Amino acid sequence: MTRSPLAIAAAVAALTTTVALSGCASATPPAETASTPVAIAPIDSAPAAPTDGLSASFHTAFDLADRRARAIAYWLQCVPTMARLRADGSFGPAARAPRGIYCQRTDDGVPIGVVYDVDSAFSAVRRVQARRLDTRAAFTEPLDTALLLRAVKLARDVSAQVSPQWAQRKRPFSVVPIAAANTTIEAWVIPRATKARSVVTGGDVGYAAPASGRTPTLIEDRTATWTQLNLAPTGSVRLYSSTREVPAVSDLVTARYYAELGRPVTVSTPAVISELSSGFDAATGSRIVWKHAPAQR
């Protein structure tokens, strides 16, 4: 019997379907493999654990105090430099040059000094001129004059507030404004020695710009810890801070000043001994770094 082409095609299709179904039914399904989630390393947002036996909270608090001290130490070096430049005519004839001086480091660490004039109400600055103190060239990048105005106004207000008490005690001081974290402006009252070859430990007072109102906000008061010590003209410098763990800001300022002069410096508290040693601080570019150790008990 002869089949038609249509019948042959139908038979082939039926056979193909049967083979395909048989193959699927007899095949062994692949074994399931256990899946393990990929562990992704976190971004390096946290500092390495300290290896000196001291807590992370100590290191955080010490770094904050040291950042303040670095800014204050720079200010105390910058102001007389800018005064000399003004006297030398770098900002025009000395008698007519702007009278105010402001010092800061930019976000990328460039040291700059600024001269300016300000009105009696401290509402605006004018005749602003800035210099890079690493090259003595003019600083031409944008300058935040609103931040400058807030800083010098806070310093003026703090100076007016503390002057009567400090004058009564015959204690000289400098008021240094600094830009702290999150655009907060602080002003620190840093005591000065009353005689040559002496240093003052403790005694500093810190204020923050008021969020509202006219009175600066007190954030630290170590007035009662003011102590003046004789200092040898050469050799190592040992400072004893009255605080429990983290040294006073003024003590760290003194430590950095003498370390930059090449003298070994150690600052001790009852709990911690901190030493400035030769090295390199990648965060600040400094040639000296702090090393800490628990005090012997």
Short mmCIF file of all heavy atoms in Angstrom, two decimals, residues 185-233:
data_model
loop_
_atom_site.label_atom_id
_atom_site.label_comp_id
_atom_site.label_asym_id
_atom_site.label_seq_id
_atom_site.Cartn_x
_atom_site.Cartn_y
_atom_site.Cartn_z
N ILE A 185 32.73 76.76 63.80
CA ILE A 185 33.83 77.67 64.13
C ILE A 185 34.06 77.62 65.63
O ILE A 185 33.12 77.73 66.43
CB ILE A 185 33.51 79.10 63.69
CG1 ILE A 185 33.22 79.15 62.19
CG2 ILE A 185 34.68 80.03 64.03
CD1 ILE A 185 34.38 78.74 61.33
N GLU A 186 35.32 77.43 66.02
CA GLU A 186 35.70 77.45 67.43
C GLU A 186 36.74 78.55 67.66
O GLU A 186 37.45 78.94 66.73
CB GLU A 186 36.28 76.11 67.85
CG GLU A 186 35.30 74.95 67.76
CD GLU A 186 35.93 73.62 68.13
OE1 GLU A 186 37.15 73.57 68.37
OE2 GLU A 186 35.19 72.62 68.17
N ALA A 187 36.83 79.00 68.90
CA ALA A 187 37.89 79.93 69.30
C ALA A 187 38.47 79.42 70.61
O ALA A 187 37.72 79.12 71.55
CB ALA A 187 37.35 81.34 69.46
N TRP A 188 39.80 79.32 70.66
CA TRP A 188 40.47 78.78 71.83
C TRP A 188 41.32 79.86 72.50
O TRP A 188 42.09 80.56 71.82
CB TRP A 188 41.32 77.57 71.45
CG TRP A 188 40.47 76.37 71.22
CD1 TRP A 188 39.76 76.07 70.08
CD2 TRP A 188 40.17 75.35 72.16
NE1 TRP A 188 39.04 74.91 70.27
CE2 TRP A 188 39.28 74.44 71.53
CE3 TRP A 188 40.57 75.09 73.46
CZ2 TRP A 188 38.79 73.31 72.16
CZ3 TRP A 188 40.08 73.97 74.12
CH2 TRP A 188 39.20 73.09 73.46
N VAL A 189 41.15 79.97 73.79
CA VAL A 189 41.97 80.89 74.59
C VAL A 189 43.21 80.10 75.02
O VAL A 189 43.12 79.16 75.82
CB VAL A 189 41.20 81.40 75.82
CG1 VAL A 189 42.05 82.40 76.59
CG2 VAL A 189 39.86 82.01 75.40
N ILE A 190 44.37 80.47 74.47
CA ILE A 190 45.61 79.77 74.72
C ILE A 190 46.49 80.63 75.64
O ILE A 190 46.88 81.74 75.26
CB ILE A 190 46.36 79.46 73.41
CG1 ILE A 190 45.46 78.65 72.46
CG2 ILE A 190 47.66 78.72 73.69
CD1 ILE A 190 45.03 77.30 73.01
N PRO A 191 46.80 80.14 76.84
CA PRO A 191 47.61 80.94 77.76
C PRO A 191 49.05 81.06 77.28
O PRO A 191 49.59 80.14 76.65
CB PRO A 191 47.52 80.17 79.08
CG PRO A 191 47.16 78.78 78.69
CD PRO A 191 46.37 78.87 77.43
N ARG A 192 49.68 82.20 77.59
CA ARG A 192 51.09 82.42 77.27
C ARG A 192 51.87 82.57 78.58
O ARG A 192 51.33 83.01 79.60
CB ARG A 192 51.26 83.67 76.42
CG ARG A 192 50.52 83.63 75.10
CD ARG A 192 51.09 84.64 74.12
NE ARG A 192 51.23 85.97 74.69
CZ ARG A 192 50.33 86.94 74.55
NH1 ARG A 192 49.22 86.71 73.86
NH2 ARG A 192 50.52 88.13 75.10
N ALA A 193 53.14 82.23 78.51
CA ALA A 193 53.99 82.32 79.69
C ALA A 193 54.23 83.78 80.05
O ALA A 193 54.22 84.67 79.19
CB ALA A 193 55.32 81.61 79.44
N THR A 194 54.47 84.02 81.33
CA THR A 194 54.71 85.39 81.80
C THR A 194 56.20 85.69 81.93
O THR A 194 56.57 86.83 82.24
CB THR A 194 54.04 85.61 83.16
OG1 THR A 194 54.61 84.70 84.12
CG2 THR A 194 52.54 85.37 83.06
N LYS A 195 57.05 84.69 81.71
CA LYS A 195 58.49 84.93 81.80
C LYS A 195 59.21 84.04 80.79
O LYS A 195 58.65 83.05 80.30
CB LYS A 195 59.01 84.67 83.21
CG LYS A 195 58.74 83.25 83.72
CD LYS A 195 59.20 83.08 85.16
CE LYS A 195 58.96 81.65 85.66
NZ LYS A 195 59.44 81.47 87.06
N ALA A 196 60.45 84.40 80.49
CA ALA A 196 61.23 83.68 79.50
C ALA A 196 61.56 82.27 79.98
O ALA A 196 61.61 82.00 81.18
CB ALA A 196 62.52 84.45 79.20
N ARG A 197 61.80 81.38 79.00
CA ARG A 197 62.18 79.99 79.28
C ARG A 197 61.17 79.32 80.22
O ARG A 197 61.53 78.61 81.15
CB ARG A 197 63.59 79.90 79.86
CG ARG A 197 64.67 80.31 78.85
CD ARG A 197 66.05 80.11 79.42
NE ARG A 197 67.07 80.49 78.46
CZ ARG A 197 68.38 80.47 78.70
NH1 ARG A 197 68.81 80.09 79.89
NH2 ARG A 197 69.25 80.84 77.78
N SER A 198 59.92 79.57 79.95
CA SER A 198 58.84 78.94 80.72
C SER A 198 57.75 78.48 79.76
O SER A 198 57.63 79.00 78.65
CB SER A 198 58.25 79.92 81.73
OG SER A 198 59.22 80.36 82.65
N VAL A 199 56.99 77.51 80.19
CA VAL A 199 55.82 77.06 79.44
C VAL A 199 54.64 76.97 80.40
O VAL A 199 54.82 76.75 81.61
CB VAL A 199 56.04 75.69 78.76
CG1 VAL A 199 57.09 75.79 77.69
CG2 VAL A 199 56.40 74.62 79.79
N VAL A 200 53.46 77.15 79.85
CA VAL A 200 52.23 76.99 80.62
C VAL A 200 51.58 75.69 80.20
O VAL A 200 51.41 75.42 79.01
CB VAL A 200 51.28 78.17 80.39
CG1 VAL A 200 49.95 77.92 81.09
CG2 VAL A 200 51.90 79.47 80.89
N THR A 201 51.21 74.87 81.17
CA THR A 201 50.43 73.67 80.88
C THR A 201 49.00 73.89 81.33
O THR A 201 48.75 74.57 82.33
CB THR A 201 51.01 72.43 81.58
OG1 THR A 201 50.97 72.62 83.00
CG2 THR A 201 52.45 72.19 81.16
N GLY A 202 48.07 73.32 80.58
CA GLY A 202 46.66 73.50 80.91
C GLY A 202 46.21 74.93 80.75
O GLY A 202 46.83 75.73 80.05
N GLY A 203 45.10 75.27 81.40
CA GLY A 203 44.63 76.65 81.42
C GLY A 203 43.84 77.09 80.22
O GLY A 203 43.36 78.23 80.17
N ASP A 204 43.70 76.25 79.20
CA ASP A 204 43.02 76.68 77.97
C ASP A 204 41.50 76.62 78.13
O ASP A 204 40.96 75.90 78.96
CB ASP A 204 43.45 75.81 76.78
CG ASP A 204 43.32 74.32 77.06
OD1 ASP A 204 43.33 73.93 78.24
OD2 ASP A 204 43.19 73.54 76.11
N VAL A 205 40.83 77.43 77.30
CA VAL A 205 39.37 77.49 77.30
C VAL A 205 38.91 77.47 75.84
O VAL A 205 39.47 78.18 75.01
CB VAL A 205 38.85 78.77 78.00
CG1 VAL A 205 37.33 78.74 78.11
CG2 VAL A 205 39.49 78.93 79.37
N GLY A 206 37.89 76.68 75.55
CA GLY A 206 37.38 76.58 74.18
C GLY A 206 35.94 77.05 74.08
O GLY A 206 35.11 76.78 74.96
N TYR A 207 35.65 77.75 72.98
CA TYR A 207 34.29 78.23 72.71
C TYR A 207 33.91 77.86 71.28
O TYR A 207 34.78 77.73 70.40
CB TYR A 207 34.20 79.75 72.85
CG TYR A 207 34.37 80.27 74.25
CD1 TYR A 207 35.63 80.55 74.77
CD2 TYR A 207 33.26 80.49 75.06
CE1 TYR A 207 35.78 81.04 76.06
CE2 TYR A 207 33.41 80.99 76.36
CZ TYR A 207 34.67 81.25 76.85
OH TYR A 207 34.81 81.73 78.13
N ALA A 208 32.62 77.71 71.05
CA ALA A 208 32.09 77.50 69.70
C ALA A 208 31.18 78.66 69.34
O ALA A 208 30.61 79.32 70.23
CB ALA A 208 31.32 76.19 69.62
N ALA A 209 31.08 78.92 68.04
CA ALA A 209 30.20 79.99 67.58
C ALA A 209 28.78 79.66 68.00
O ALA A 209 28.32 78.52 67.88
CB ALA A 209 30.29 80.14 66.06
N PRO A 210 28.03 80.63 68.49
CA PRO A 210 26.67 80.35 68.98
C PRO A 210 25.72 79.99 67.85
O PRO A 210 25.78 80.58 66.76
CB PRO A 210 26.27 81.67 69.65
CG PRO A 210 27.09 82.72 68.96
CD PRO A 210 28.39 82.05 68.63
N ALA A 211 24.87 79.00 68.09
CA ALA A 211 23.86 78.65 67.10
C ALA A 211 22.80 79.74 67.03
O ALA A 211 22.21 79.99 65.98
CB ALA A 211 23.22 77.31 67.47
N SER A 212 22.54 80.37 68.15
CA SER A 212 21.60 81.49 68.19
C SER A 212 22.01 82.41 69.33
O SER A 212 22.70 82.00 70.27
CB SER A 212 20.17 80.99 68.40
OG SER A 212 20.06 80.29 69.62
N GLY A 213 21.61 83.63 69.25
CA GLY A 213 22.00 84.57 70.28
C GLY A 213 23.38 85.13 70.04
O GLY A 213 23.99 84.91 69.00
N ARG A 214 23.91 85.85 71.04
CA ARG A 214 25.17 86.57 70.86
C ARG A 214 26.30 86.00 71.70
O ARG A 214 27.45 86.34 71.49
CB ARG A 214 24.97 88.04 71.22
CG ARG A 214 23.93 88.76 70.38
CD ARG A 214 23.74 90.18 70.86
NE ARG A 214 24.98 90.95 70.76
CZ ARG A 214 25.34 91.62 69.68
NH1 ARG A 214 24.58 91.60 68.60
NH2 ARG A 214 26.46 92.31 69.66
N THR A 215 26.00 85.13 72.67
CA THR A 215 27.02 84.64 73.58
C THR A 215 27.68 83.38 73.03
O THR A 215 26.98 82.41 72.72
CB THR A 215 26.42 84.34 74.96
OG1 THR A 215 25.75 85.51 75.44
CG2 THR A 215 27.50 83.92 75.94
N PRO A 216 29.02 83.34 72.91
CA PRO A 216 29.70 82.12 72.47
C PRO A 216 29.41 80.96 73.42
O PRO A 216 29.23 81.14 74.63
CB PRO A 216 31.18 82.52 72.50
CG PRO A 216 31.19 84.01 72.38
CD PRO A 216 29.96 84.47 73.09
N THR A 217 29.37 79.76 72.86
CA THR A 217 29.07 78.57 73.64
C THR A 217 30.35 77.97 74.20
O THR A 217 31.28 77.64 73.45
CB THR A 217 28.36 77.52 72.76
OG1 THR A 217 27.16 78.11 72.21
CG2 THR A 217 28.00 76.29 73.57
N LEU A 218 30.41 77.80 75.52
CA LEU A 218 31.58 77.22 76.17
C LEU A 218 31.61 75.71 75.92
O LEU A 218 30.64 75.01 76.20
CB LEU A 218 31.55 77.50 77.67
CG LEU A 218 32.72 76.97 78.50
CD1 LEU A 218 34.01 77.69 78.13
CD2 LEU A 218 32.42 77.12 80.00
N ILE A 219 32.74 75.20 75.41
CA ILE A 219 32.85 73.76 75.17
C ILE A 219 33.93 73.11 76.03
O ILE A 219 33.94 71.89 76.21
CB ILE A 219 33.12 73.45 73.68
CG1 ILE A 219 34.40 74.15 73.20
CG2 ILE A 219 31.94 73.83 72.82
CD1 ILE A 219 34.77 73.81 71.76
N GLU A 220 34.86 73.90 76.58
CA GLU A 220 35.91 73.36 77.45
C GLU A 220 36.45 74.49 78.30
O GLU A 220 36.67 75.60 77.81
CB GLU A 220 37.04 72.75 76.61
CG GLU A 220 38.01 71.90 77.40
CD GLU A 220 37.38 70.62 77.92
OE1 GLU A 220 37.04 69.75 77.11
OE2 GLU A 220 37.21 70.52 79.16
N ASP A 221 36.66 74.21 79.59
CA ASP A 221 37.22 75.22 80.49
C ASP A 221 38.22 74.55 81.42
O ASP A 221 37.85 73.82 82.33
CB ASP A 221 36.11 75.90 81.29
CG ASP A 221 36.64 77.06 82.14
OD1 ASP A 221 37.87 77.28 82.15
OD2 ASP A 221 35.83 77.75 82.78
N ARG A 222 39.51 74.81 81.17
CA ARG A 222 40.57 74.27 82.02
C ARG A 222 41.30 75.41 82.74
O ARG A 222 42.49 75.29 83.03
CB ARG A 222 41.55 73.44 81.19
CG ARG A 222 40.91 72.25 80.47
CD ARG A 222 41.96 71.34 79.87
NE ARG A 222 41.36 70.26 79.11
CZ ARG A 222 41.16 70.29 77.80
NH1 ARG A 222 41.52 71.36 77.10
NH2 ARG A 222 40.62 69.27 77.17
N THR A 223 40.60 76.50 83.01
CA THR A 223 41.22 77.66 83.66
C THR A 223 41.92 77.26 84.95
O THR A 223 43.03 77.74 85.26
CB THR A 223 40.15 78.73 83.95
OG1 THR A 223 39.47 79.06 82.75
CG2 THR A 223 40.79 79.99 84.50
N ALA A 224 41.30 76.39 85.73
CA ALA A 224 41.84 76.03 87.04
C ALA A 224 43.11 75.21 86.96
O ALA A 224 43.81 75.04 87.97
CB ALA A 224 40.77 75.27 87.84
N THR A 225 43.45 74.67 85.79
CA THR A 225 44.63 73.81 85.68
C THR A 225 45.87 74.58 85.22
O THR A 225 46.91 73.98 84.98
CB THR A 225 44.36 72.66 84.67
OG1 THR A 225 44.20 73.21 83.35
CG2 THR A 225 43.12 71.89 85.05
N TRP A 226 45.77 75.92 85.09
CA TRP A 226 46.90 76.75 84.63
C TRP A 226 48.11 76.55 85.53
O TRP A 226 48.05 76.72 86.74
CB TRP A 226 46.47 78.21 84.64
CG TRP A 226 47.42 79.19 84.01
CD1 TRP A 226 47.34 79.74 82.77
CD2 TRP A 226 48.56 79.81 84.64
NE1 TRP A 226 48.36 80.64 82.56
CE2 TRP A 226 49.13 80.69 83.70
CE3 TRP A 226 49.17 79.68 85.88
CZ2 TRP A 226 50.27 81.46 83.97
CZ3 TRP A 226 50.31 80.44 86.16
CH2 TRP A 226 50.84 81.31 85.21
N THR A 227 49.24 76.13 84.93
CA THR A 227 50.48 75.95 85.67
C THR A 227 51.64 76.41 84.80
O THR A 227 51.73 76.03 83.63
CB THR A 227 50.70 74.47 86.06
OG1 THR A 227 49.57 73.99 86.79
CG2 THR A 227 51.96 74.29 86.89
N GLN A 228 52.55 77.19 85.37
CA GLN A 228 53.72 77.66 84.63
C GLN A 228 54.97 76.94 85.14
O GLN A 228 55.20 76.88 86.35
CB GLN A 228 53.88 79.17 84.77
CG GLN A 228 55.00 79.74 83.91
CD GLN A 228 54.90 81.25 83.76
OE1 GLN A 228 54.62 81.76 82.69
NE2 GLN A 228 55.14 81.96 84.86
N LEU A 229 55.74 76.39 84.19
CA LEU A 229 56.92 75.61 84.53
C LEU A 229 58.15 76.18 83.86
O LEU A 229 58.08 76.71 82.74
CB LEU A 229 56.74 74.15 84.08
CG LEU A 229 55.48 73.42 84.58
CD1 LEU A 229 55.37 72.07 83.90
CD2 LEU A 229 55.54 73.26 86.10
N ASN A 230 59.30 76.06 84.53
CA ASN A 230 60.56 76.44 83.91
C ASN A 230 60.94 75.41 82.86
O ASN A 230 60.67 74.22 83.00
CB ASN A 230 61.66 76.53 84.97
CG ASN A 230 61.43 77.66 85.95
OD1 ASN A 230 60.87 78.70 85.59
ND2 ASN A 230 61.86 77.47 87.20
N LEU A 231 61.59 75.88 81.80
CA LEU A 231 61.95 75.01 80.69
C LEU A 231 63.44 75.14 80.40
O LEU A 231 63.95 76.26 80.24
CB LEU A 231 61.15 75.38 79.44
CG LEU A 231 61.40 74.54 78.19
CD1 LEU A 231 60.90 73.12 78.39
CD2 LEU A 231 60.72 75.17 76.98
N ALA A 232 64.14 74.02 80.36
CA ALA A 232 65.56 74.05 80.02
C ALA A 232 65.74 74.54 78.58
O ALA A 232 64.90 74.26 77.72
CB ALA A 232 66.16 72.66 80.18
N PRO A 233 66.82 75.27 78.30
CA PRO A 233 67.00 75.82 76.96
C PRO A 233 67.25 74.76 75.88
O PRO A 233 67.01 75.02 74.70
CB PRO A 233 68.21 76.75 77.10
CG PRO A 233 68.94 76.23 78.31
CD PRO A 233 67.90 75.69 79.22
#
